[in-house]
Amino acid sequence: MCTPKRIVLLGKTGSGKSHLASTILGPDVFTSYHCAKSGTQKVQAETTCVNGRSVTLIDTPGFFDTERREEQLKPEIVRCTTECAPGPHVFLIVLKVDRFTHQEQHVITKIREYFSDDALNYSVVVFTHGDDLQEGMTIEEFVSQNKNLSDLVKRCGGRCHVFDNKHWNNNQHNDYRNNQNQLEALLQTIDTMVMENNGSFYTNDFLQYVEDRIVKYEENIRDDRVNSTPAEIRAHAKSLVFNEVLIQLAGTATGALLGALFAGEVALATGAIAGVTIATAATVGAVVGGKAGCEQHICFISAIFQCV
């Protein structure tokens, strides 16, 4: 069986991530929410076959929301990391077709702040509520009306698509305003992007370390649970690594964790690693022992985690 393409949905609460997940994977796979103040609270991951392709879709809470508390987001950022390790084939940055308020601009600013250029090479901007487009307008024309939005799409290689969960299902009268056609176009964009990236997925030291830990736990579990399926072993290993990483990164701010996930950078009080300066590290707080501002450059893996 081929390895599923790992797809991570990102966007603020109310952007329509769960609706989009249901459109991609089919109804009843993910819970969709209609209240802007509820939305996805926990990372959810499901694997299925879509248009002949094996896909693992990972839905996430609003990592870039201004009102979300750190104690809510931190475990979900770690959970996203364990679910998509050793790295996603694509990030879907989900936005609404709507007038861009300060909140929407803030989300775009945060994405551009946290994402490395490398991560954006594996990203597609996907819009929901496509029926709000003016009649005859394409999503590219809509994007061109906002400079910040246009710049983000350009940094994502010009890749953008549009869906409408409410109005475009089984729409036979308009090829463009049709979720089935848009889904196939999105999957082809992902296929092309993966091919242009030489078949690889996005990864970094943090994601690779998490994968290595999962594989190590899988080996131990396999010896003890000979009757368990590979999927059951993998799920149990991920839960163990989630707990391990969450404890080890207890003192890390969510901004540093987002940097670790999207740019391969995480700040420690013990010094500068993975491109983070000592000054930045001192402002984040301790993850492991040591004095803030220490000038010693230390190994990313051994500084954060102790192998067991």
Side-chain angles (χ1 to χ4, degrees):
M1 182 179 177
C2 62
T3 300
K5 285 189 174 69
R6 294 176 295 277
I7 301 174
V8 176
L9 300 179
L10 299 169
K12 79 179 189 71
T13 300
S15 63
K17 296 188 302 296
S18 295
H19 278 306
L20 178 62
S22 296
T23 299
I24 294 174
L25 296 190
D28 304 322
V29 177
F30 282 95
T31 302
S32 294
Y33 297 90
H34 303 282
C35 174
K37 288 189 176 296
S38 55
T40 300
Q41 300 296 319
K42 302 284 186 181
V43 167
Q44 303 174 72
E46 296 290 343
T47 301
T48 190
C49 184
V50 180
N51 291 15
R53 303 162 176 88
S54 183
V55 168
T56 295
L57 203 61
I58 301 158
D59 192 10
T60 65
F63 287 161
F64 306 103
D65 291 4
T66 56
E67 68 276 8
R68 298 297 289 266
R69 297 193 300 271
E70 291 219 351
E71 61 267 24
Q72 292 177 317
L73 286 182
K74 189 179 299 180
E76 297 313 312
I77 296 170
V78 174
R79 195 181 308 278
C80 177
T81 304
T82 58
E83 288 294 346
C84 74
H89 293 86
V90 58
F91 295 107
L92 297 186
I93 300 171
V94 184
L95 301 168
K96 288 173 63 174
V97 172
D98 200 356
R99 182 177 62 86
F100 271 76
T101 65
H102 175 74
Q103 277 193 330
E104 278 72 34
Q105 296 288 8
H106 175 81
V107 170
I108 293 175
T109 299
K110 284 297 182 184
I111 289 172
R112 294 175 65 180
E113 175 185 340
Y114 287 123
F115 270 64
S116 65
D117 287 339
D118 190 37
L120 290 174
N121 288 336
Y122 295 84
S123 298
V124 180
V125 180
V126 180
F127 291 87
T128 60
H129 296 76
D131 211 53
D132 289 337
L133 281 174
Q134 295 178 16
E135 190 67 33
M137 177 180 282
T138 67
I139 195 60
E140 290 81 6
E141 290 169 332
F142 173 79
V143 167
S144 69
Q145 296 176 349
N146 182 286
K147 185 180 185 306
N148 285 342
L149 186 56
S150 180
D151 288 346
L152 174 63
V153 171
K154 286 178 182 176
R155 289 186 64 191
C156 295
R159 295 179 291 270
C160 65
H161 292 273
V162 60
F163 292 80
D164 189 289
N165 184 266
K166 185 176 181 180
H167 300 283
W168 291 9
N169 290 318
N170 301 314
N171 184 355
Q172 303 300 319
H173 305 293
N174 188 314
D175 288 342
Y176 191 81
R177 296 185 172 224
N178 182 302
N179 282 342
Q180 288 69 39
N181 291 344
Q182 287 289 343
L183 175 57
E184 180 57 31
L186 171 62
L187 294 173
Q188 288 181 11
T189 292
I190 294 172
D191 290 342
T192 300
M193 185 186 67
V194 172
M195 182 178 64
E196 289 174 348
N197 289 323
N198 299 315
S200 67
F201 49 84
Y202 169 77
T203 192
N204 56 41
D205 287 344
F206 186 34
L207 285 162
Q208 190 58 57
Y209 174 80
V210 170
E211 174 65 13
D212 291 344
R213 299 300 297 142
I214 291 172
V215 171
K216 183 65 176 178
Y217 275 114
E218 283 182 307
E219 293 171 356
N220 295 336
I221 295 168
R222 195 175 294 113
D223 292 338
D224 294 334
R225 300 187 177 187
V226 293
N227 294 324
S228 296
T229 66
E232 291 170 340
I233 292 171
R234 177 79 177 180
H236 186 46
K238 287 193 293 188
S239 70
L240 293 173
V241 174
F242 165 77
N243 291 327
E244 175 183 282
V245 173
L246 190 61
I247 291 170
Q248 296 289 349
L249 295 179
T252 309
T254 57
L257 283 179
L258 289 172
L261 176 58
F262 301 131
E265 299 175 349
V266 65
L268 300 182
T270 47
I273 58 171
V276 180
T277 65
I278 294 172
T280 302
T283 67
V284 174
V287 176
V288 295
K291 293 183 179 180
C294 174
E295 294 184 358
Q296 181 184 10
H297 286 233
I298 54 178
C299 172
F300 177 86
I301 300 304
S302 62
I304 308 177
F305 306 106
Q306 296 297 322
C307 294
V308 298

